[in-house]
Amino acid sequence: MKIDLAKTSVTEVSLKRHPLLDPAKLSEMAEDAARALLREGESANTLAAYRSALRYWAAWFAARYGQPLRLPVPVPAVIQFIVDHAERTTPTGLVSQLPAAVDRLLVDQGYKGKLGAPAFSTVVHRIAVLSKTHQLAHQVNPCGDALVRELLAKTRRAYAKRGALPRKQRALSKEPFQAMLATCDDSLRGRRDRALLLFAWATGGRRRSEVAAATVENLRRVEPAVFLYVLTHSKINQAGAERPQDTKPLVGSAGEAMQAWLAASGITSGALFRRVRKGGHLGETLSAAAVRGIVKERCALAGVEGDFSAHSLRSGFVTEAGRQNMPLAETMAMTGHQSVASVVGYFRAEAALSSRIASLLDAPEM
């Protein structure tokens, strides 16, 4: 069907009521609305990480140059940022360019957690955030400069050559995880933590943001202690599309723990996991940071030593699946990973120890 565009016009009266826009230029109101949608579409964790990185950029820039950070940031400043924070090999050992006085100032003001060079992944992330900021502001992006890109690539290679691997959170596989669960008593807080930990671990290692966002409306009881949970929003499904693989089972001890928590809390709608106040009163929805705090607290109570976080539940699930030789396809269906390379990267050394190929020399001949 043909449409005559010349005839599809609005009336003169409507034009007076609604002034025409310039199609080659975005109005200020539309630009504000677009920015708001971009912010709303980002996860809370991503936005928090962006804000933290930009605050650090501003503090470092002010300390180094004695003036506020403005866009576009000059290329030399980006290069200075890299050499200030990335370690290089010298005859006296590893050093970075950041002056000790500036380092101390950034720590004292709360912009850095501790003295010394950060992990290289932190440097890369902060460069990426600055790059994104320039893109959104339609400014010339210094992070795309050839010299900046080459310096980052060669620095990454230098770290790899000296064996400085990216630090990963330790995996909470079956034994330490069970020790954590044993610390959860029959109090309301204990039932909540047990249900929360099992929900996160048994459904494929849910991220802390996914646990915090879990709602009763997405939980369906199949039998008294058997549930199905629909994951409506995740890192790989941010558009909220309906997909069969996003339905996760809660069975066995995980289903029993969920049933006990719902019965004890009386929750029938809204957030699934909430703060428990003194006197056993339910409070607001748990934040993602609170989920991480629960994991660390239960690790401490169980005497589980190591650098664990909420993400350790996810890596622990995959590690345990590898240790028990579970099919990779089924493991990926539970975790939600879309690439084999990504999920294999979660397998820890503990899973490799139980592999038959590791004992090839000692294995009896068939």
Side-chain angles (χ1 to χ4, degrees), residues 30-304:
E31 189 169 354
D32 290 343
R35 289 180 186 276
L37 286 170
L38 286 170
R39 288 193 299 270
E40 189 176 351
E42 289 283 11
S43 71
N45 288 341
T46 299
L47 288 174
Y50 275 31
R51 292 190 189 103
S52 176
L54 289 175
R55 281 196 297 268
Y56 185 84
W57 265 104
W60 170 83
F61 195 91
R64 262 322 219 161
Y65 297 102
Q67 56 184 283
L69 181 72
R70 294 188 180 90
L71 301 185
V73 175
V75 169
V78 177
I79 294 174
Q80 185 68 54
F81 184 89
I82 296 172
V83 300
D84 270 7
H85 297 89
E87 292 180 309
R88 67 185 189 281
T89 305
T90 70
T92 58
L94 294 174
V95 299
S96 56
Q97 198 69 27
L98 189 66
V102 174
D103 197 15
R104 169 57 66 185
L105 178 67
L106 292 171
V107 170
D108 290 345
Q109 293 185 350
Y111 295 104
K112 282 188 72 181
K114 59 182 180 180
L115 295 172
F120 184 62
S121 59
T122 301
V123 180
V124 173
H125 176 260
R126 285 172 177 165
I127 295 292
V129 170
L130 187 71
S131 177
K132 186 71 172 180
T133 302
H134 280 81
Q135 292 173 18
L136 293 175
H138 305 292
Q139 296 279 358
V140 176
N141 189 355
C143 305
D145 182 85
L147 185 55
V148 171
R149 295 174 65 180
E150 183 179 10
L151 179 59
L152 276 177
K154 293 293 177 63
T155 304
R156 182 181 285 107
R157 206 172 296 173
Y159 271 68
K161 283 176 64 178
R162 58 176 180 256
L165 298 174
R167 186 174 63 88
K168 294 184 177 181
Q169 295 292 339
R170 289 189 59 193
L172 279 169
S173 49
K174 187 176 180 179
E175 289 78 12
F177 184 67
Q178 287 180 324
M180 290 171 62
L181 294 177
T183 69
C184 301
D185 57 22
D186 288 332
S187 66
L188 191 60
R189 190 185 301 272
R191 289 179 185 272
R192 180 203 63 188
D193 289 359
R194 182 177 178 81
L196 182 150
L197 292 169
L198 280 164
F199 172 85
W201 201 90
T203 58
R206 302 273 55 88
R207 299 173 179 86
R208 57 186 177 134
S209 58
E210 295 167 354
V211 176
T215 64
V216 176
E217 285 74 12
N218 290 328
L219 184 71
R220 180 163 64 90
R221 191 190 300 267
V222 179
E223 294 178 13
V226 176
F227 300 85
L228 289 173
Y229 185 80
V230 180
L231 190 66
T232 58
H233 183 271
S234 64
K235 185 176 181 180
I236 62 171
N237 183 23
Q238 298 193 23
E242 290 188 22
R243 309 182 310 169
Q245 62 266 38
D246 289 328
T247 298
K248 310 296 181 183
L250 273 171
V251 299
S253 57
E256 292 169 1
M258 181 60 70
Q259 181 188 35
W261 163 241
L262 292 176
S265 65
I267 294 174
T268 57
S269 63
L272 196 52
F273 301 111
R274 308 180 189 186
R275 182 178 176 184
V276 177
R277 299 185 182 277
K278 291 182 179 179
H281 302 293
L282 292 180
E284 64 275 14
T285 304
L286 285 180
S287 65
V291 174
R292 177 182 57 194
I294 289 171
V295 173
K296 287 184 172 293
E297 179 185 3
R298 291 296 171 181
C299 280
L301 289 172
V304 176

